[in-house]
Amino acid sequence: MKNKTSLPPQEGEARPSRCPDNSAFKQQKLPAWKPQLTIESVLSSFFLIGGFCLSVGVCLILSANSVREIQIDYSDKCSDCSKLRENSSNWNKECHCSVNFMLKEDILGDVFMYYGLQNFYQNHRRYVISRSDAQLLGRNVNIQKSYCAPFTTYRNGTPMAPCGAIANSMFNDTIDLFYNLNSSVIQVPLMKTGNSWWTDKNVKFRNPKSYNLSSAFAGTARPPYWQKPVYLLDEEDERNNGYVNDDFVIWMRVSAFATFRNLYRRVRRIRQFADGLPAGNYTFHISYNFPVTKFKGRKHVILSTVVWSGGSNPFLGIAYVVTGTAATLTGFVITAIHLKLRKKKTYFQK
């Protein structure tokens, strides 16, 4: 067979064209809008942005300053329990301590109780991924193929539920609040449910399907540092057990910084506490379980109110004020440069 070669187009034949189609899109003839940056539009933009950011920043700072908050560091006040927890062999020994404090003024409105940790790095790359999201959804998965190692199974092959370093290191101090009124001691009612995000409780975390939780977690064991299995985290409320336990769900949302706080409880507004926490003497009764000495950490309890912008955190307001100040100063600098150049132009024209 002879090779076919391309022949030049014969006379009268149309040559193929590489030109784009004669359409408005391909010929770049569509209508377009091009902003004209005049000195008036630029300066007005800078001053408007500056004024907006400054006003929002001032509102956020004033709102954050209106939050009532008290923070109690109990790391040193529970030193005996802290020394006991330094030895991991004492994990099953109970230790309790009390911390007294006084509220000089009423804390009105909804009062939230947080626990705070300092120098605890939840943002370590291996710690962050040490979990099994499929397991937390109640699925029957092989956790050996997950990132939970070394907290996957025990030596006898029993899988951990839940697995991973995040779950194993869950904060497990128990904190109760008491109000000392004259000669009587009144326990402040605290709510332990309704503190997590709706998406966490209904989308990200689910219990295995079974007629009861103990059978659902049959064949599994608690993580090494836990004192109870996952289906007994809340012995008072069966609906607050397993992977949907509020304390567990909140802990599994890791922090980006080494110093952080997590919501622990909310004050139930009934009886003497219908309007909030009245001024007076209070006592924290703490069951000390979470060790922090080895990594030089600190533990706090925070009582705080919230406002429309959140808690007592002025960072966002300061950021808005800095941005607004920078935009306003830039506008003044551009104005000065424009006036100076305009004077020079007028002088040379004369």
Side-chain angles (χ1 to χ4, degrees):
M1 295 179 63
K2 295 182 180 180
N3 294 331
K4 294 183 178 179
T5 57
S6 58
L7 299 175
Q10 301 297 324
E11 185 176 353
E13 293 183 1
R15 293 178 176 270
S17 175
R18 295 185 178 181
C19 295
D21 295 338
N22 190 19
S23 62
F25 177 76
K26 292 189 175 181
Q27 294 296 334
Q28 300 182 11
K29 295 180 180 179
L30 290 175
W33 178 77
K34 181 179 179 181
Q36 299 293 331
L37 297 179
T38 62
I39 188 64
E40 292 81 5
S41 61
V42 171
L43 288 177
S44 60
S45 300
F46 273 105
F47 286 121
L48 285 174
I49 293 173
F52 172 78
C53 291
L54 284 173
S55 59
V56 173
V58 170
C59 291
L60 289 173
I61 292 175
L62 293 176
S63 177
N65 290 337
S66 65
V67 173
R68 294 292 311 281
E69 179 177 300
I70 181 171
Q71 180 170 306
I72 308 294
D73 188 330
Y74 66 94
S75 304
D76 297 330
K77 297 179 180 179
C78 299
S79 57
D80 294 338
C81 293
S82 178
K83 293 178 181 178
L84 180 71
R85 291 290 174 248
E86 288 181 9
N87 189 348
S88 59
S89 62
N90 296 326
W91 66 270
N92 59 343
K93 297 181 180 180
E94 294 186 0
C95 189
H96 302 272
C97 60
S98 298
V99 179
N100 298 318
F101 67 98
M102 184 180 69
L103 288 181
K104 296 181 180 180
E105 298 178 358
D106 297 344
I107 300 182
L108 302 177
D110 294 327
V111 182
F112 298 82
M113 180 189 293
Y114 301 83
Y115 62 85
L117 290 178
Q118 183 177 341
N119 208 35
F120 190 94
Y121 288 85
Q122 283 191 315
N123 54 4
H124 191 280
R125 62 181 183 85
R126 293 189 62 184
Y127 182 90
V128 170
I129 65 173
S130 185
R131 60 188 293 166
S132 173
D133 290 323
Q135 183 194 47
L136 298 176
L137 281 171
R139 300 173 183 171
N140 187 13
V141 295
N142 183 10
I143 59 175
Q144 293 282 9
K145 297 181 180 180
S146 66
Y147 294 102
C148 288
F151 301 102
T152 52
T153 60
Y154 287 91
R155 292 181 179 179
N156 60 2
T158 304
M160 298 180 190
C163 70
I166 305 176
N168 183 60
S169 61
M170 177 181 167
F171 183 85
N172 57 350
D173 282 2
T174 303
I175 306 171
D176 294 316
L177 181 60
F178 292 86
Y179 177 43
N180 306 315
L181 180 62
N182 299 327
S183 59
S184 61
V185 178
I186 303 171
Q187 184 171 5
V188 179
L190 302 174
M191 294 186 290
K192 60 176 66 175
T193 57
N195 300 325
S196 59
W197 294 356
W198 184 91
T199 52
D200 287 343
K201 293 276 288 189
N202 296 275
V203 179
K204 295 183 179 180
F205 295 85
R206 294 175 185 171
N207 285 323
K209 294 182 179 180
S210 182
Y211 63 92
N212 60 36
L213 279 182
S214 59
S215 62
F217 289 98
T220 64
R222 57 174 176 79
Y225 291 172
W226 284 28
Q227 297 175 340
K228 300 177 182 179
V230 67
Y231 54 87
L232 291 178
L233 290 178
D234 188 351
E235 298 180 359
E236 299 176 358
D237 187 356
E238 294 182 357
R239 297 171 298 177
N240 191 36
N241 271 317
Y243 296 147
V244 296
N245 176 266
D246 270 48
D247 293 337
F248 174 71
V249 169
I250 291 173
W251 177 259
M252 293 301 290
R253 192 189 315 128
V254 296
S255 172
F257 302 99
T259 300
F260 61 92
R261 64 176 63 178
N262 284 337
L263 181 59
Y264 183 66
R265 296 289 184 266
R266 290 179 296 149
V267 175
R268 188 187 297 274
R269 298 178 63 176
I270 57 175
R271 300 192 298 274
Q272 296 96 331
F273 313 101
D275 298 325
L277 291 179
N281 294 319
Y282 289 83
T283 302
F284 283 124
H285 286 187
I286 301 169
S287 177
Y288 197 105
N289 299 308
F290 194 84
V292 296
T293 306
K294 289 187 177 180
F295 58 87
K296 299 179 181 179
R298 310 287 298 180
K299 294 194 289 187
H300 308 84
V301 184
I302 303 103
L303 295 173
S304 175
T305 59
V306 296
V307 291
W308 63 271
S309 59
S312 178
N313 187 0
F315 173 78
L316 187 60
I318 294 174
Y320 267 101
V321 169
V322 171
T323 304
T325 303
T328 304
L329 290 177
T330 304
F332 282 118
V333 170
I334 295 176
T335 302
I337 295 173
H338 171 68
L339 295 175
K340 185 176 181 180
L341 293 178
R342 189 172 65 175
K343 287 181 180 179
K344 284 186 178 181
K345 185 177 180 182
T346 304
Y347 174 78
F348 284 116
Q349 286 179 350
K350 290 181 179 179

